Amino acid sequence: MTGRVHAIRNLAADMVKVVISTDEQLEILPGQHVQVCISGFPSRVYSPTVPLKEPVDNRKICFHVRRVANGRVSSALGAAIGPGRKASISRPEGSAFLRPGLSNRLVLVSSGAGFASVWSIAHAALRENAEREIVVIAEAKDRGDLYLANALVRLAACPNVRVHPVIRAADKPQSAFWINNPLVFMPRLSPDDIVHAFGAPLLVEGVASVARTAGALCYAEPFVAAELEATP
C-alpha cells in the first residue's frame, strides 16, 4: 500500500510520532506490525498505535519510533524526512495481536516504544468490553522516557485497570513511579490470563518465562533495532 508522510512530532527526547496517510484503508489488528519504506530510505518494521486525542482514522497510520544515534532512518525523521514524502506499507504481520471476543484478564507489559502496542491493545480491549480487567506495566529508563504519561493516566482512571509505571533509575525519589525490575509487578498469573509483552528482548523473554511457568497464554514481540540502523 502506498501513502505519504502526513505528520512528524517529537514525543520525548528520543521518541517521535510519525503519521502516514495511505491511499486506501488498511485494517491492522492491535499488536501487529508492518514494514514501512519511506522513499529514499531503507525499510523498517514498526508497530502501529492509536492516537491519544484524535479520532481513529483507518487511512492514517500512527507509529512511535525511537531515535537511534546516527540512525539511517530514525535520525532523519523531522529532518531529511518530512511531511509529503512518499512511503509504502506492507500488509500487517505478527501473532501478538489482541484476540477479540474474550473476557480473560489481560496483562500488558512494555518497555520504551513497546508501549505503542500496549496502548493500542488496551484501547481496543476497553472499547470492546469496558469492564475487562487489565494490568499494564510500562517500563522506561527514566521519567522522561514515559512519553505517553497521559495515556497511563487515562488507563489508571478505569476502575478495572491497574497501571504500574516503572523506571529503571532516578536521581531523586519519584512519588508516582516505582524504581525496580518490572517483573516484580507482574501479578500472580493463572492459566486463564492472557499476557502480551512488547519491547526490550530481555524484558519480553522474562515476561514470557513467567507466563510459561503459570501456564498462561503469552504473546511476545521483542523490539530489536535494525541491524543496519546505526551508520558507521
Side-chain angles (χ1 to χ4, degrees):
M1 179 174 292
T2 57
R4 292 182 181 274
V5 176
H6 176 76
I8 297 176
R9 183 170 67 85
N10 290 332
L11 296 174
D14 61 350
M15 194 72 66
V16 61
K17 173 183 174 180
V18 181
V19 180
I20 295 179
S21 59
T22 56
D23 298 330
E24 305 170 53
Q25 182 171 304
L26 182 61
E27 295 292 339
I28 304 175
L29 298 174
Q32 286 190 307
H33 57 261
V34 295
Q35 194 164 55
V36 179
C37 185
I38 298 175
S39 177
F41 292 85
S43 62
R44 293 290 182 259
V45 175
Y46 297 134
S47 294
T49 189
V50 293
L52 183 61
K53 296 181 180 179
E54 303 89 349
V56 175
D57 183 343
N58 288 330
R59 292 185 62 178
K60 287 189 175 70
I61 306 176
C62 177
F63 306 96
H64 297 159
V65 181
R66 181 180 295 282
R67 282 198 174 96
V68 177
N70 299 316
R72 297 176 64 187
V73 177
S74 61
S75 64
L77 295 170
I81 298 175
R85 186 175 283 265
K86 292 182 180 180
S88 62
I89 298 176
S90 72
R91 62 183 177 86
E93 297 180 320
S95 61
F97 57 85
L98 175 71
R99 272 64 178 175
L102 302 177
S103 59
N104 310 55
R105 180 175 67 168
L106 283 174
V107 179
L108 309 177
V109 187
S110 70
S111 67
F115 185 71
S117 297
V118 162
W119 167 241
S120 179
I121 288 175
H123 180 270
L126 291 172
R127 288 188 67 183
E128 181 184 70
N129 179 2
E131 297 182 357
R132 190 169 185 179
E133 185 179 357
I134 300 176
V135 178
V136 174
I137 303 170
E139 183 205 31
K141 62 183 179 181
D142 54 42
R143 181 173 179 173
D145 199 39
L146 284 170
Y147 63 97
L148 276 184
N150 288 340
L152 291 173
V153 170
R154 182 179 295 183
L155 291 172
C158 301
N160 49 305
V161 179
R162 283 188 291 152
V163 174
H164 301 286
V166 184
I167 56 178
R168 293 195 292 270
D171 296 330
K172 57 184 179 179
Q174 306 285 335
S175 59
F177 304 92
W178 290 273
I179 304 171
N180 212 320
N181 184 329
L183 295 181
V184 171
F185 300 95
M186 289 281 291
R188 184 181 296 276
L189 298 176
S190 79
D192 291 330
D193 289 317
I194 299 177
V195 181
H196 291 257
F198 302 89
L202 284 178
L203 172 65
V204 170
E205 291 167 9
V207 172
S209 177
V210 173
R212 279 195 301 270
T213 300
L217 192 60
C218 180
Y219 300 104
E221 189 77 45
F223 283 21
V224 181
E227 182 178 354
L228 300 178
E229 173 61 2
T231 56

